[in-house]
Amino acid sequence: MADKPKVAFYWCASCGGCEESIVDLAEDILFVADNVDIVMWPVGLDFKRHDVEAMPDKSILAALINGAIRTSEQEEMAHLMRQKSQVVIAYGACAHQGGIPALANQFELEEILRWVYHDSPSTYNDEKTRPQTKFYDENGRIPELPQLWNVVRTLDQVIDVDYYLPGCPPSPKLLKDAVIALLTGNVPPKGTVLAPDIALCEECPRKETKPTDLVFDEFKRPHQVMIDTEKCLLAQGLICMGPATRAGCGALCTIGNMPCSGCYGPTSRVRDQGAKILSSIASSVNGKTEHEIDKIIAGIPDPVGTFYRYGLAGSILRKKVKFEERV
Amino acid sequence: MEKTNGQIRIGFYICHCGTNIASSVDVQKVTDFAATLPNVVVAKHYKYMCSDPGQDMIINDIKEQNLNRVVVAACSPFLHERTFRNATFQGGLNQFYFQMVNTREQNAWVHLDPLASTDKAIDLVRAAVQRVASHKPLEQKKVPIHPDVLVIGGGIAGIHAALTLGNAGKKVYLVEKEPTIGGHMAMFDKTFPTLDCAACILTPKMSAVKNHPNIKLCTYSEVEKIDGYVGNFKVTIKHKPRFIIDDLCVGCMDCVEACVYKEARFPDEFNQGLSRRKPVYMPFPQATPQLVLIDPETCIWFKSGKCKKTCVDACERKAVDLEQQARVEEVEVGSIVVATGFQPFDSKKISYYGYGNYPNVYTSLEVERLINASGPTQGVVVLRDGSHPKTIGIVHCVGSRDKNTNSWCSRVCCLYSVKLAHLLKEHTGAEIYNFYIDMRTPGKSMEEFYNRIAEEGMKFIRGRVADIYPDMSDPDHKKLIMKAEDTLIQEIIKVPVDMVVLSVGLEPRHDAQQVRRMLNISCSTEGFYIERHPKLAPVSTFTDGIFLAGCCQGPKDIPDTVAQAGAAAAEVLALIDRGFIELEPNTAFITEEECSGCKSCIHLCPYTAISFLEEKKKAFINEALCKGCGTCVAACPSGSIKQNLFDDEEIYSEIDGILNFDHISRELSYV
Amino acid sequence: MYKEKTEKGHQIKIVAFFCNWCTYTAADLAGVSRIKHAPNFRVIRVMCSGRVDPQFILDAFSKGADGVLIGGCHPGDCHYIEGNYKCLRRFQLFKKVVADLGIEADRLRLEWISASEGDKVRLVINDMVSKIQKLGPLDLPAKYKSWDSEMELLEKCVREQSNEIIKEEMEVISHG
Ligand SMILES: Cc1cc2nc3c(=O)[nH]c(=O)nc-3n(C[C@H](O)[C@H](O)[C@H](O)COP(=O)(O)OP(=O)(O)OC[C@H]3O[C@@H](n4cnc5c(N)ncnc54)[C@H](O)[C@@H]3O)c2cc1C
Ligand code: SF4
Ligand code: SF4
Ligand code: FES
């Protein structure tokens, strides 16, 4: 048994969906279990940090880390996994691009804490207590809690990453392909995103119905319309990120009658997914004056939340860069 | 490339441009800096990079130092990009392994602080050096030039250009919107500085045009649409209905005679409304072509549908056709000469000169007609009230050199005012006052002309006329007082005159913008069309294959107009005789495996160069149609469209260079 | 490497994307007419304002531009018929994104400058420079460094503390 390659899973700032996706391998998980030793998997197996610390450096074949990095603990663990593993895979949209947690990058840490612990209408906190990283327990010990950071980061903004498995969550097929590639040593160049380098429209069943002369007179949000189940969603005035998002998911959302929100991130030729889809969509807005244009784009009330839903941390700017001083 | 093992070897050169650049930019410092940049093997500065020794330096360095990229910091790429690309080519490289840094027009000439200029040069050099590394070898596309030419506008400029081209054996379409060619010059009596009769020198040229086997004259026609590009323009010409069949009419004017209107009642456009014409008329006796036309605005048949149509019966040749419709024709040409001329300033805009209020205030163009032997009064200067003027005041610069109207000098008004002064004196013997701001008489023989006329006893008063009003002391209230400050004696003077002549300036035609848009050329803020370079490409435009001649480019006299028309014709001939033009290879292309077939780009292309291949479900760019704007490149959501010469990587590397951004340190900081 | 920052400290730097046919030509014209203006901008020539990819703008900001200026032909005048409309549409939406991400509106500007408007080049650039000077440098590279310093700092203090805690724990264990 000892000569089976070792694989580790770890989770950082994430929802747990990525863990689910591993379980979603279904029978294939048996194939994985047969061929590798899982040496760390907080959600499924009882290994502790010191077990990993005790392992020799680079003794793990691959660590699949999901979640964005937003606490000191996550960063520490990321470094540890890096140290012990030959290959690190950023697993899922959060590790890859920041994901939903990175929407917090629209705010300063202080703003978030203030809202959550004081200002939100459901909060009663007269002492203005804030979470502490240290306290003295009755035994006189000082347990320590992770520090929350101001910036939510992608995994590769913290450690060196070898591959990316995109998606919220990655499709089991991509995971299986990745595991096989690793086991057979048949790996692509470092830095590769392990999903097709082509946009989602390629595999979207609605592609046929998209007109070649689509212009936008109006934008709508999914809750505002009865969505036609067959027609291209953009052609229905809905913002679909498909044209700017990697394929590989099997067009799950559009098949499920929802527009693509971009979780697989951009193709390798694009540096900023949000900017690129914006450029594409805005170019086709039906207006020639500021006034006409503004009227139409008012239908996109939250462009950052729309175009950077999964990609803010990994975008060019990464985070809101300046904050007005609040008095 | 074999010689260099795939290694990038850049030669960098900065030009002093005499002292143009070197006095603001520290060329030594920039050279030293460039030498420290990665991949730069040669860094030099030189007095005149565009000179032969400068170019030879590049050529030799490429050969001796195995350079495979060249960067030159000098003037604007509009000026010498071609020169240096050529040197790069002469050295044995693909000419697109070259990048230019605009260090003169956009740096040395516009900044005051040499330190800042040097800093700016350094940033841009870094950008260019980084950019050129990602340049790729490209081939230029050759497009054949269709040998036919379109000339728009049949004034003296268009006439001369058309004749020159026709004489060289080229087929020319000359399109004139009026019923006759001749433009403004046809209205003049005599022309400065030689005082030769305008008709004598113009009418032979007009009939030469008419009879030229190579010139297809389309009068009373307009260009409606222009598609395509240099070498291959598709032109839609609309022939407005004259209601006369061109081929049948011989210009006998029997129909005019027979018109139910026995008297001519409508203002005659050619005579500036100083005489009358019938609804069916010939614009003027020497009109070319010699065809009458019916003006539906004044013809009673068109207005009421009731008329005996005596004109129809009067024509033995059955040339009158009241049912005639506009006809649209499509022609193909390879190049275009724009010669649409000017319009005179509208004197009504300066209310205190009283034009339109006081009958004895005339515009210069009206006076041209008044003194013309074939004009409304056969050359006798009779005022609107029937009297003959004994004193005449001429106001120079009407509408010109004035912030409230047109700020520019119209260049010909001083001289034609002097001409008119002479002619009026000759015709009337009147006493003549010229009110001028400055006497401007540049050009060959012009000052001499002015001196000669001045000696004829004209009065010249240096001052802008501030007011013109009726002389109340004149019993008939016919005399006008011209009030001005004589700036030489610094005194307000008031001159009573019988007649005022307003020397109106030249301005862009009211439809200049429309025409410009159709042609896709630019114009100055005033509205005159812009030449490609004020000195070195004075008749070319920024749109290949389109050339300018005459006053549409700016006010000028007839000699200059003709010279420019000749130059435009020569440029066209050079283009045609070469047979082809090489286009910038900055076209866009789609990598098939990368395109998802999202169709976002298809309709963004203004030239319909992008199509969707149904079998493959991919977008495809037809390189022959792409003009390289790059709009689709910026819009492809998956980054699958690339553009030669302006690819993403090339632009990113410029951004990096400008901002002195150090990739490596940024990336390391993550690890 | 060559030090180019002058003693005056941070120089405002504007990256300008000028279309070949109008604004770039206007900037040349400003030169030919010797119309002096602020030296703080660096022009990147593109064929049309329609070529300006919003990614370029973000890239420029992230690499230290204090402002980004796009110059194109006036509406109706684009050499490629309507590239500038596409630019305008993107700009109208993109400026919202840029503002939402904390970059002041004055730092991103779109101007129509025709080939003949050499003086407008001066006006726009001088105005933009003076507005940005009031705002001060944006300097995102420094911002990124300061963001990332939270990692180093916290990391360091976390490490030191945890060692102490481990030591304490060890003591508890060994001394019963
Ligand atoms: C009062 C006056 C006196 C002058 N006297 C002299 C003088 O003595 N000596 C001298 O050297 N210069 C003189 N000039 C200057 C002279 O008029 C110009 O230099 C000359 O007319 C310019 O010729 P052009 O062909 O460029 O323009 P124009 O004469 O204006 O001809 C342009 C032609 O193009 C046609 N056109 C315009 N738009 C279109 C269109 N869209 N499609 C088709 N056709 C179109 C017009 O109908 C017109 O026939 C005088 C000017 C004025 C106003
Ligand atoms: S926009 Fe890009 S991905 Fe979409 S069809 Fe065009 S080339 Fe293909
Ligand atoms: S670059 Fe411009 S002209 Fe060429 S295909 Fe794209 S949109 Fe059309
Ligand atoms: S060419 Fe100037 S904006 Fe398109």
Side-chain angles (χ1 to χ4, degrees), chain A residues 126-146:
Chain A
D126 293 337
E127 282 102 70
K128 298 213 182 302
T129 312
R130 288 277 183 94
Q132 302 296 307
T133 52
K134 276 193 264 180
F135 69 99
Y136 293 86
D137 73 0
E138 54 263 38
N139 299 328
R141 295 189 305 182
I142 320 168
E144 185 208 347
L145 289 171

Side-chain angles (χ1 to χ4, degrees), chain B residues 156-157 176-177 184 188 191-192 340-341 419 551 556-558:
Chain B
I156 180 61
E176 165 61 56
K177 71 193 310 178
H184 286 97
F188 307 156
T191 55
F192 70 76
T340 48
K419 169 187 81 175
C551 289
K556 57 180 64 68
D557 58 15
I558 295 165

Side-chain angles (χ1 to χ4, degrees), chain B residues 601-621:
Chain B
C601 56
I602 312 287
H603 72 111
L604 294 180
C605 176
Y607 306 104
T608 59
I610 316 178
S611 53
F612 190 68
L613 304 178
E614 279 300 340
E615 343 59 89
K616 291 188 174 155
K617 308 265 175 273
K618 305 275 175 182
F620 170 76
I621 295 179

